[in-house]
Amino acid sequence: MSDLAATMQAAVFYGPHDVRVEEVPTPDEIGPDEVLLRVERSAICGTDLHPYEGHMELEEGVILGHEFLGTVVETGEAVGQVSAGDVATCACAVSCGACYFCRRGEPGRCAGIRMFGMGMALGDLGGAQSEYVVVPYADRNLRKLPSDATDSQLDSLLLAGDIITTGYEAVKKAFRPGDVVAVVGAGPVGLCAVMSAAVLGASAVVAVDTVPERLKIAESLGATAVTPKEAEDAIADLTGWRGADVVVDAAGHPDALTAIAGYVRMGGTVSIPSVYLQDSLELPWGNFWLKGVNFTMGVTHFNNSMDEVIALIRSGRLDPGRIISHRMPLSQADEAYRLFAAREATKVILDPRS
Amino acid sequence: MGYFSSPEEVDKYIGEMFRQASDHPQVGPKMRAANVVMKVVYQDPDCEMTVRFADPMETIFGPTAAEPDITLSMPADIADRFWRGKYNLAVGLARSEVKAKGPVNKILKLVPLTKPLFPVYRDLIAQKDAEA
Ligand SMILES: NC(=O)c1ccc[n+]([C@@H]2O[C@H](COP(=O)([O-])OP(=O)(O)OC[C@H]3O[C@@H](n4cnc5c(N)ncnc54)[C@H](O)[C@@H]3O)[C@@H](O)[C@H]2O)c1
Ligand SMILES: [Zn+2]
Ligand SMILES: [Zn+2]
């Protein structure tokens, strides 16, 4: 790694609404099972907004970013699945592969789960809104991408380690072909759930949000797009007053969870990929209980679903890259965060090379 | 033998760090506002410590009737490495070297507050290290 510059550009967290682009030391050490990647595209995710908005504790000085792809620069001696020069993307939350939960095929519950750019509480990994990133447990968590992938496929593949796999799994794990799916929150994750529901064979998809631009995209993806006020009636109309078979909460707000009790059918499933960190919530429990609703939630099992999503992107059946609204140089990360947090941008890609 | 020669040394260094944390300009206010009781059970030397993250913050060495919200268990040597900034908690949890029980969201909230205390701990152990 001696031929790399000693410092690199990175987006560094200093506190709520305070992201600064700085020169930081380039990683100069990798372990035997690790890979050093030169980041070529890096996204801002709704999860980055939790510390940015002050809803999640994160220590100062953390390099942000966990949704990325890039070129392998160097591999540790135990790495066998990728080599220098390969283009690869990575699960945003890496699992160890060896713990009780990983052995049971539940990598999202890995006892030592680590997430890029989320600080000490999530494994102290440098983030990928930077020029270089170190990937641990690389054979397991990286995916080598086909060398003939087009530029627009790379935009979609970039999202395979995070939002598209999250939207896809949130629907798939609760779903039968022909189901009516309601997606609450038409942000990046919600839009990914909308397109996944269509690919998986939903008979109808309803998207709920308040942001007109986001509802417009949901509509272009084939969904019936409605505001929270219209949602319960729209879902009732579509289902003969039965309710949606699957409701995905991609909003992450207690108001959404409350409203969902009116959207879901008896015995339906509420699938919650969005993050809740509150100690407790007040919910319409009697309605949920009498309806016999199933709940499924938590960190996505990226390792289990990434390959399916990558194959569907390669075949052209999934195209999440189309929701990208802004491309900006990494040097403008602070402005990029502001735009995304204000919902003036649907999805922002940062280019560390500029 | 491990880094700490006796339970009293665990209190002298780690316990003292928690006592000083309450007045730390960066993390003191957040710790006093956390409203969480954390018990840490150490091995080699075997001992336990309970920290009440409340106002006033309180660090109790040895058994206490205070009911913990969060309980952690780890060898005292690992605690020493952690506070030196040389131990990755996630890796330790994956290997079961460190065990945790209690609400995960409360644990996630406390962990980032520990980093500004690393220099406090290093100052406390500086003399012990110099004598070793
Ligand atoms: N489970 C996982 O592994 C995983 C992975 C990626 C993201 N996430 C989480 O998914 C969530 C969504 O991510 P995103 O990138 O789409 O974020 P986002 O904040 O951009 O999108 C949320 C959307 O929900 C809408 N919304 C808010 N309250 C609403 C309500 N009451 N009714 C209807 N719509 C409402 C907002 O207008 C916004 O468009 C976040 O909590 C993120 O942390 C989880
Ligand atoms: Zn994310
Ligand atoms: Zn694991």
Side-chain angles (χ1 to χ4, degrees):
Chain A
M1 276 178 268
S2 50
D3 48 342
L4 298 183
T7 64
M8 63 173 186
Q9 207 182 198
V12 181
F13 178 81
Y14 276 92
H17 301 278
D18 187 1
V19 172
R20 304 178 203 165
V21 177
E22 292 185 336
E23 285 292 317
V24 302
T26 306
D28 59 358
E29 220 185 333
I30 55 170
D33 61 353
E34 297 182 339
V35 157
L36 180 76
L37 204 76
R38 181 187 310 112
V39 181
E40 275 135 21
R41 302 173 199 219
S42 192
I44 303 180
C45 172
T47 303
D48 294 317
L49 294 182
H50 298 304
Y52 185 78
E53 304 275 27
H55 301 146
M56 180 186 163
E57 193 63 49
L58 182 63
E59 64 270 19
E60 242 182 65
V62 170
I63 300 173
L64 295 165
H66 56 264
E67 196 171 25
F68 59 98
L69 64 70
T71 299
V72 174
V73 176
E74 188 167 331
T75 59
E77 64 259 30
V79 173
Q81 296 292 322
V82 293
S83 25
D86 289 344
V87 175
T89 192
C90 187
C92 63
V94 297
S95 51
C96 77
C99 74
Y100 175 85
F101 303 95
C102 285
R103 296 197 305 268
R104 290 174 72 100
E106 298 178 39
R109 312 291 161 261
C110 174
I113 198 156
R114 302 173 75 184
M115 189 160 173
F116 298 93
M118 280 288 149
M120 283 177 60
L122 288 169
D124 214 7
L125 287 177
Q129 287 160 11
S130 63
E131 292 180 71
Y132 296 91
V133 68
V134 175
V135 175
Y137 318 120
D139 271 348
R140 179 178 165 76
N141 292 289
L142 268 183
R143 294 293 185 277
K144 175 176 167 176
L145 299 175
S147 53
D148 63 346
T150 63
D151 196 54
S152 93
Q153 276 182 347
L154 289 175
D155 272 349
S156 287
L157 292 165
L158 149 74
L159 308 174
D162 193 353
I163 59 165
I164 182 60
T165 301
T166 295
Y168 177 84
E169 193 182 270
V171 175
K172 188 192 166 192
K173 66 182 174 179
F175 178 85
R176 285 203 212 175
D179 276 357
V180 173
V181 177
V183 177
V184 184
V189 170
L191 292 169
C192 285
V194 167
M195 59 183 98
S196 298
V199 165
L200 287 161
S203 60
V205 183
V206 180
V208 189
D209 205 306
T210 51
V211 182
E213 295 75 32
R214 295 184 172 193
L215 288 175
K216 217 170 282 163
I217 304 174
E219 206 154 37
S220 77
L221 294 168
T224 303
V226 294
T227 63
K229 233 178 162 164
E230 305 160 330
E232 192 162 341
D233 286 346
I235 293 165
D237 286 350
L238 261 172
T239 58
W241 288 32
R242 192 177 60 224
D245 300 289
V246 177
V247 184
V248 175
D249 172 4
H253 194 283
D255 289 350
L257 268 181
T258 299
I260 280 170
Y263 305 164
V264 65
R265 70 159 165 85
M266 302 282 257
T269 298
V270 178
S271 181
I272 313 175
S274 55
V275 174
Y276 288 87
L277 299 171
Q278 294 90 330
D279 286 345
S280 64
L281 292 177
E282 195 170 312
L283 294 174
W285 207 247
N287 201 7
F288 279 132
W289 192 88
L290 288 164
K291 283 188 162 184
V293 167
N294 306 293
F295 286 94
T296 176
M297 63 190 91
V299 176
T300 302
H301 300 302
F302 293 103
N303 245 307
N304 298 356
S305 302
M306 274 175 84
D307 295 306
E308 286 170 40
V309 167
I310 289 172
L312 289 167
I313 291 170
R314 277 292 278 171
S315 70
R317 292 174 38 88
L318 273 178
D319 181 20
R322 62 185 285 183
I323 71 170
I324 294 170
S325 59
H326 289 65
R327 285 166 208 280
M328 299 168 75
L330 175 63
S331 56
Q332 288 173 21
D334 58 342
E335 172 63 2
Y337 268 87
R338 195 197 61 73
L339 286 170
F340 185 54
R343 310 208 197 290
E344 288 169 34
T346 307
K347 188 74 181 174
V348 187
I349 305 305
L350 298 171
D351 183 350
R353 295 164 298 183
S354 58
Chain B
M1 196 171 84
Y3 181 69
F4 300 108
S5 59
S6 66
E8 288 68 33
E9 275 204 348
V10 175
D11 187 38
K12 180 173 171 191
Y13 298 107
I14 298 179
E16 180 56 23
M17 177 199 60
F18 278 118
R19 285 180 196 103
Q20 293 188 12
S22 175
D23 297 324
H24 191 282
Q26 209 179 339
V27 297
K30 287 180 179 174
M31 287 188 162
R32 292 196 306 270
N35 197 22
V36 175
V37 178
M38 176 187 79
K39 176 160 117 177
V40 189
V41 180
Y42 300 101
Q43 296 88 40
D44 302 313
D46 293 5
C47 54
E48 64 181 59
M49 188 183 297
T50 300
V51 184
R52 188 192 293 277
F53 295 98
D55 206 356
M57 203 169 136
E58 197 185 354
T59 300
I60 306 155
F61 187 69
T64 160
E67 273 289 322
D69 303 297
I70 298 169
T71 307
L72 302 177
S73 168
M74 69 189 79
D77 269 7
I78 281 183
D80 169 61
R81 271 161 55 203
F82 176 80
W83 289 111
R84 286 172 193 261
K86 293 191 170 142
Y87 186 78
N88 190 308
L89 197 58
V91 174
L93 285 163
R95 290 181 186 152
S96 298
E97 285 173 346
V98 177
K99 288 194 194 137
K101 66 183 179 188
V104 185
N105 67 325
K106 292 190 196 243
I107 298 173
L108 286 186
K109 215 167 155 179
L110 283 180
V111 174
L113 301 183
T114 60
K115 196 170 186 176
L117 297 179
F118 294 175
V120 177
Y121 181 73
R122 281 196 296 263
D123 279 353
L124 284 164
I125 56 170
Q127 198 181 345
K128 177 172 164 67
D129 278 356
E131 285 162 7

